[in-house]
Amino acid sequence: MVRIRVLVVDDHRIFAESLAAALAAEPDVDVSAAGSGPAALRCMDRAAAEGRRFDVLLVDADLGAALHGPRPPTAVPDATPGQDGLVDGISLVAGVRSGQPTVRTVVLAEKDDPRRAALALQAGASGWVAKDCSLSRLLTVIRGVLRDETHLPPALLTSVLRELTAARKHRTDSERLVESLTPREREVLRCMVAGLGRKAVAERLFLSPHTVRTHMQNVLGKLGVHSTLAAVALARRAGVGPADLEAAS
């Protein structure tokens, strides 16, 4: 019998343990649980090193919200861990897609939220399922995503497709704005995405701080934004990655 290795990731301990126990009763399911995003990543790394990778992650959509507060659903998160690690559910999905792309992720949600469901799919999730769904429904989703199926509640389908269409248009508009930049301005923008300040950008590109300031002002003007944070968010929507800081060191 081929066994399905499942990792439940939820910081509500009672829910995580109850769901893990219910899944463990299935003869073809091996299940573990993790109480946070960083703990889940450590568990996955350990399993991969031992040659027994997980097949499916069940990730709480509100992972980390109790400690860090809910994060606004404005853009697909960067998969790179921040100072607090990958804590929210959608960021964890993005991190798993980047680090272990063969693993399927399913987001478990307290309520229907078309925008966050669309973000989850964009981040790499294969499904969005209500936390109060039946065990048989959840098992159908788990087995389905392993066949490369995408699962959404029927009531969410139209709204999620609308969100994805709007996101594609938004990305196209952002790409068009980025294309208006000069090659040097794009270099500066990539440094901004990497989190470099004006002095660091000047040192990296061998420019004066005054010249970098001018380039940054030009970037903001051409992108039609008023802050570095807004420029970085637009750049990420357009697919602009950070400058490779290691290559310069």
Side-chain angles (χ1 to χ4, degrees):
M1 179 185 299
V2 177
R3 301 184 68 83
I4 304 170
R5 302 204 68 239
V6 177
L7 178 62
V8 178
V9 188
D10 197 303
D11 47 15
H12 292 82
R13 183 174 177 179
I14 295 177
F15 174 83
E17 291 181 350
S18 298
L19 179 56
L23 290 171
E26 296 296 313
D28 63 338
V29 177
D30 285 331
V31 60
S32 301
S36 69
L41 292 175
R42 290 193 298 270
C43 190
M44 291 179 66
D45 289 341
R46 185 166 58 250
E50 295 172 354
R52 48 185 187 88
R53 291 177 182 271
F54 288 99
D55 300 302
V56 178
L57 260 66
L58 302 179
V59 181
D60 177 20
D62 297 317
L63 188 69
L67 293 176
H68 301 269
R71 297 191 177 187
T74 56
V76 175
D78 188 353
T80 305
Q83 291 181 347
D84 57 354
L86 295 173
V87 291
D88 69 282
I90 296 176
S91 288
L92 178 60
V93 169
V96 170
R97 181 181 65 173
S98 175
Q100 297 193 31
T102 61
V103 179
R104 302 291 184 265
T105 55
V106 174
V107 177
L108 305 178
E110 292 275 3
K111 59 182 179 180
D112 288 345
D113 187 331
R115 178 172 293 183
R116 294 196 73 206
L119 287 172
L121 294 182
Q122 288 177 285
S126 297
W128 177 279
V129 182
K131 275 191 169 184
D132 60 359
C133 75
S134 66
L135 181 62
S136 62
R137 166 63 180 163
L138 183 57
L139 287 166
T140 296
V141 171
I142 289 172
R143 295 184 172 109
V145 298
L146 289 175
R147 297 191 296 267
D148 290 328
E149 298 173 0
T150 299
H151 284 258
L152 285 170
L156 272 184
L157 185 58
T158 299
S159 298
V160 169
L161 289 176
R162 188 181 301 120
E163 290 287 344
L164 291 173
T165 299
R168 280 196 294 270
K169 181 182 182 301
H170 206 26
R171 180 182 176 96
T172 301
D173 292 341
S174 300
E175 289 172 341
R176 189 177 300 116
L177 289 171
V178 170
E179 287 172 358
S180 72
L181 303 179
T182 66
R184 177 62 86 184
E185 288 165 351
R186 290 183 200 177
E187 283 187 282
V188 171
L189 179 59
R190 292 185 66 226
C191 290
M192 294 164 67
V193 172
L196 299 182
R198 188 189 309 166
K199 182 178 179 181
V201 175
E203 293 175 352
R204 175 184 171 82
L205 300 181
F206 304 103
L207 299 172
S208 71
H210 176 75
T211 300
V212 170
R213 179 183 180 184
T214 299
H215 283 314
M216 286 183 166
Q217 290 174 338
N218 289 341
V219 167
L220 297 184
K222 290 183 179 181
L223 297 184
V225 297
H226 302 289
S227 70
T228 297
L229 287 177
V232 168
L234 187 150
R236 286 176 171 166
R237 286 198 298 272
V240 176
D244 186 352
L245 302 183
E246 291 185 2
S249 60

